[in-house]
Structure formats: C-alpha cells, structure tokens
C-alpha cells in the first residue's frame, strides 16, 4: 500500500527535446561503434584466413619441392607449373602494394616561381656584398687620351677619382666624374669609356691656343676660351708664327678672343701683334700689326664688325700701310704715317720747349719782383 502511494506521488518526468535528441545521438553513435567493430572483426578474420592460406600454400610448395627432390620420375613440366603460379601471385601482391602507396603531391609552378623570385635576388645581393668587401671592388685601370698640354695626373686629379672609390661607383657615375674634369681650364670636353673588367679610358679635348700674352721674354698661352694660362711656355716649343698680345686684362682678353672667333682664318693668320692704343675718344682702341707690317687701328668693341674690311682694302694697297678704323675707315702709307708722326712729334717738342721757355721767363720775372 505504501509502495503504490510512492509511485503515485512520484510520477515519471517527461524528457525535453534536447534530451531526446541527445539520447538519439548516443544511440546512433553506439550503433556506429558496433558496426565499426564488426567491420574490423571481419577484416581481421579475413587477414587471418589470407595468412592461413599463404601458410598452407607455402607448406604445400615446400612439401612438393621435397617430393620432387625424392621422386625424379615426375615430368619436368609438372615441376615448373607451380613455381610459375607462385611468382604470378607474388607479382600481383607487389602491384597491389604499389597501388596502395599514396602518390607524392606535385609542387605547383606558382610556388616554384615564387621561390625563384626570392632566391635569385637574395643570391645576387649576397654575391655583391661579398664583392664589395674584397679589394677587387676598388681595382681600376685608368688611361688618359687626347691630352697634349696637360698631364694625365692633373686630369685624374680634376676628375676626383680616388684609389679607394668602388669600381662600380665609377661605372655608374661616369658622367659626373667627366663633368668634374672640365674644372681644369685646359679641358673643353671629357668622356669616360669603360672596358670590361676594370679598364677606364678618359678621352679629353683641350682648348686651342689662340695666341700668347707676352711680357718681357715670357710667353703665356691664351686659350680659345679666353683664359690665360699661368705657366709660361718654353721658347723652344713656340710655333713658327703666332699671335702675341701685350695686355692681360681678363675681360678685355676674353672680348678679344670672342671677336677674333668671328674673323676669317685668312685674316687671323696674318695678325702678328695686338696691343692697346687708347685715344682721347676711344679707350679700348687696339693697334694690330700684321705680318706684312701693315698697321690697323680698330676699337675692341667693333673688332668683329670692322676688321673683316681689311680683306677688301688690302688688294688696293701698293705698300705697307696704316689703316685707321677708329671713326671711319681710311688708309695711308706707313712712310707718310711715319712722316706725319715725326712732324707731330717735332711740333709737340717745339710746343713743349716754348712752354718751358715761357715758364722760365715767368719764373725769372717773379724772382726780380721779389728782389725789388
């Protein structure tokens, strides 16, 4: 009676949806484990049977070989058939094992190219680093060509190339080093060529010598750039004919060379000497003496404009002449010019003598007045 009351008082609780699903999942899992265990048991049993068959076949083959050894009356064909069958089975088993082995996965070409793109630059950087750390990286053989008035060492010094500079740096900055060479006043242009592995050639073009600034016995080259070199030339190295200049004002010399650059070679080749001869009206008046002793007066500022007329005047001159281009253009013979200069000189001397005599007379009169 008491038990029935307890049952009535404790009725079964209903399961929730989650609990029901959990029970179904556990039930399915248990069934799957049972099925899996059964399959494993079957595979194990099959392996045992296969092993037993192999053992039986091995025993049979060994017993048959013993029988064949003991009974030579059997035909050779019967002896050969069974080994052939066994070999066939062994080959089949080997093929099965090969098939069962998983094939090695192939590397995609994309990964290969990625590896190459990383490895190759890395190797090159490593080799470059090793090269830069060795003395080989600074070996340079430098040759200078085209210089006649400058020393090769002076050109190398102007370039700024040091023995410690990397060969690779010189190769990459050839234009920069070539531009530096032009700091030498003799060099008009420069170029650096490279020959593998460490050979460099500096090819230079020097300014021409337009004339010589002469003071005393020293002759200083005047370059076609208008610069006067600071070192005098050995007199033995002077050419047979050359133009001489007797003034060294930097601005005037540059203006002279610029003006002469527009004059024809026929006229320039006849010029022997150029000197300043300023007058009251023209401060930059030049006196040009030609090889045939003709003399020309022409303003420096009008040199390129007026001097070309000399080629037209020259055929009309019968004797050495004086051509005045200061204001207009007229010519006279040197003899007449010398006579005129002598007359002017005598007249000037007479005027000075007269002036001196007058000054002495005035001084004497002044002295007499003081005595009185």
């Amino acid at each position: 009676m008491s038990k029935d009351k307890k049952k009535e008082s404790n009725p079964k609780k209903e399961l929730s949806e989650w609990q029901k699903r959990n029970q179904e999942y556990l039930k399915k899992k248990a069934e799957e484990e049972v099925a899996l265990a059964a399959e494993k048991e079957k595979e194990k049993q099959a392996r045992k049977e296969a092993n037993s068959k192999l053992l039986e076949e091995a025993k049979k083959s060994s017993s048959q070989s013993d029988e064949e050894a003991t009974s030579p009356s059997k035909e050779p064909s019967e002896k050969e058939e069974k080994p052939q069958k066994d070999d066939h089975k062994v080959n089949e088993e080997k093929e099965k094992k090969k098939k069962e082995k998983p094939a090695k996965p192939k590397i995609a070409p994309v990964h290969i190219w990625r590896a190459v793109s990383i490895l190759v630059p890395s190797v090159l950087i490593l080799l470059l680093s090793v090269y830069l750390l060795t003395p080989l990286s600074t070996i340079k053989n430098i040759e200078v060509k085209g210089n006649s008035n400058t020393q090769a060492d002076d050109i190398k010094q102007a370039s700024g190339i040091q023995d410690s500079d990397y060969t690779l740096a010189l190769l990459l900055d050839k234009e920069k080093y070539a531009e530096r060479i032009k700091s030498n006043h003799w060099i008009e242009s420069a170029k650096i060529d490279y020959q593998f592995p460490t050979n460099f050639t500096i090819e230079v073009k020097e300014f021409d010598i337009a004339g010589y600034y002469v003071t005393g016995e020293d002759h200083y080259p005047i370059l076609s750039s208008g610069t006067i070199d600071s070192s005098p030339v050995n007199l033995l190295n002077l050419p047979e004919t050359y133009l001489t200049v007797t003034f060294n004002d930097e601005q005037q010399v540059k203006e002279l060379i610029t003006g002469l650059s527009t004059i024809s070679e026929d006229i320039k080749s006849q010029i022997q000497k150029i000197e300043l001869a300023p007058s009251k009206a023209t401060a930059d008046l030049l006196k040009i003496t030609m090889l045939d002793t003709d003399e020309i007066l022409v303003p420096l500022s009008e040199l390129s404009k007026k001097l070309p007329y000399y080629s037209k005047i020259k055929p009309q001159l019968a004797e050495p002449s004086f051509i005045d281009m200061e204001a207009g253009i007229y010519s006279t013979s040197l003899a007449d010019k010398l006579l005129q200069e002598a007359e002017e000189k005598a007249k000037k001397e007479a005027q000075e003598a007269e002036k001196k005599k007058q000054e002495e007379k005035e001084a004497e009169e002044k002295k007499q007045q003081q005595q009185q």
Side-chain angles (χ1 to χ4, degrees):
M1 194 72 178
S2 61
K3 289 181 181 179
D4 294 337
K5 286 179 181 179
K6 285 180 182 180
K7 286 179 183 179
E8 289 176 2
S9 62
N10 297 317
K12 289 184 178 180
K13 292 182 180 180
E14 291 185 3
L15 298 174
S16 65
E17 287 295 326
W18 182 85
Q19 289 174 336
K20 289 178 182 180
R21 290 175 187 169
N22 190 31
Q23 283 183 353
E24 290 176 1
Y25 171 74
L26 293 173
K27 187 177 179 181
K28 286 181 181 179
K29 189 175 181 181
E31 290 174 355
E32 288 175 358
E33 288 178 355
V34 171
L36 185 61
E39 286 180 3
K40 288 182 178 179
E41 187 64 30
K42 285 180 183 179
E43 289 178 359
K44 190 175 180 183
Q45 192 66 28
R47 288 174 187 168
K48 286 182 179 180
E49 290 176 359
N51 291 331
S52 62
K53 285 180 181 180
L54 289 173
L55 289 170
E56 288 176 1
E57 288 176 358
K59 286 178 182 180
K60 285 179 183 180
S61 61
S62 61
S63 61
Q64 285 175 0
S65 61
D66 293 337
E67 288 174 1
E68 287 173 358
T70 54
S71 58
S73 60
K74 288 185 179 180
E75 295 179 359
S77 60
E78 292 177 358
K79 294 177 183 178
E80 293 174 357
E81 286 178 0
K82 288 181 180 179
Q84 287 177 357
K85 291 179 180 179
D86 293 338
D87 293 340
H88 183 66
K89 287 180 180 179
V90 171
N91 291 332
E92 286 181 352
E93 289 176 2
K94 287 181 179 179
E95 288 178 0
K96 286 180 181 179
K97 288 180 180 178
K98 286 180 181 178
K99 289 180 180 178
E100 288 175 0
K101 288 181 180 178
K104 291 182 179 180
K106 292 183 178 179
I107 301 173
V110 177
H111 299 304
I112 295 172
W113 283 111
R114 284 177 181 173
V116 169
S117 63
I118 294 171
L119 288 173
V120 171
S122 301
V123 171
L124 292 175
I125 291 170
L126 177 62
L127 293 174
L128 180 61
S129 301
V130 172
Y131 168 73
L132 293 175
L133 291 172
T134 62
L136 295 173
S137 60
T138 59
I139 294 176
K140 299 177 290 294
N141 299 318
I142 301 173
E143 183 183 2
V144 179
K145 291 183 177 180
N147 59 311
S148 58
N149 297 298
T150 50
Q151 298 296 324
D153 291 339
D154 294 337
I155 292 173
K156 290 178 184 178
Q157 186 177 358
S159 70
I161 300 172
Q162 304 294 329
D163 293 337
S164 59
D165 290 342
Y166 289 117
T167 307
L168 188 60
L170 176 56
L171 177 61
L172 296 176
D173 291 333
K174 292 188 298 181
E175 290 77 11
K176 182 182 75 174
Y177 287 102
E179 190 66 24
R180 287 179 182 176
I181 296 171
K182 292 167 68 175
S183 63
N184 187 311
H185 63 271
W186 275 99
I187 305 304
E188 183 178 1
S189 62
K191 183 177 69 172
I192 299 177
D193 293 326
Y194 169 71
Q195 297 87 32
F196 184 83
T198 57
N199 297 321
F200 292 88
T201 302
I202 301 176
E203 294 186 5
V204 297
K205 181 184 178 184
E206 296 178 338
F207 284 108
D208 296 327
I209 297 176
Y212 294 88
Y213 163 63
V214 179
T215 172
E217 294 184 355
D218 293 331
H219 290 63
Y220 297 88
I222 300 175
L223 310 185
S224 56
S225 61
T227 302
I228 301 175
D229 189 36
S230 58
S231 301
V233 177
N234 190 327
L235 298 179
L236 298 175
N237 296 330
L238 289 170
E240 292 183 5
T241 58
Y242 53 89
L243 183 151
T244 61
V245 178
T246 59
F247 56 92
N248 63 348
D249 182 80
E250 184 178 351
Q251 186 61 37
Q252 288 181 328
V253 170
K254 284 188 176 181
E255 191 175 349
L256 172 65
I257 298 302
T258 302
L260 288 175
S261 65
T262 62
I263 305 301
S264 66
E265 287 296 327
D266 183 47
I267 295 176
K268 283 195 293 185
S269 62
Q270 297 179 55
I271 299 175
Q272 181 181 21
K273 183 179 179 181
I274 300 177
E275 52 192 321
L276 280 173
S279 65
K280 293 180 180 179
T282 310
D284 64 345
L285 190 64
L286 298 177
K287 179 183 176 183
I288 301 175
T289 304
M290 311 300 283
L291 290 173
D292 59 1
T293 67
D294 283 345
E295 292 182 358
I296 304 170
L297 283 181
V298 59
L300 177 58
S301 57
E302 298 180 287
L303 181 69
S304 58
K305 180 181 177 182
K306 292 187 173 182
L307 190 57
Y309 287 105
Y310 176 72
S311 60
K312 297 179 180 179
I313 297 171
K314 178 61 179 174
Q316 303 173 10
L317 303 176
E319 55 184 338
S321 302
F322 173 79
I323 301 100
D324 190 345
M325 298 181 178
E326 181 179 4
I329 298 177
Y330 72 91
S331 64
T332 182
S333 67
L334 279 179
D336 293 342
K337 175 69 168 54
L338 291 173
L339 182 61
Q340 184 180 356
E341 286 179 352
E343 289 176 354
E344 289 179 355
K345 187 177 180 181
K347 186 177 179 181
K348 188 175 181 181
E349 288 176 353
Q351 288 177 349
E352 289 178 353
E354 183 66 27
K355 185 177 179 182
K356 189 176 181 181
K357 187 178 180 181
Q358 186 68 26
E359 288 175 352
E360 289 176 354
K361 185 178 179 181
E362 289 176 355
E364 188 177 350
E365 289 177 353
K366 190 175 181 182
K367 187 177 180 182
Q368 288 176 358
Q369 288 176 0
Q370 289 176 354
Q371 286 178 354
Q372 291 176 357

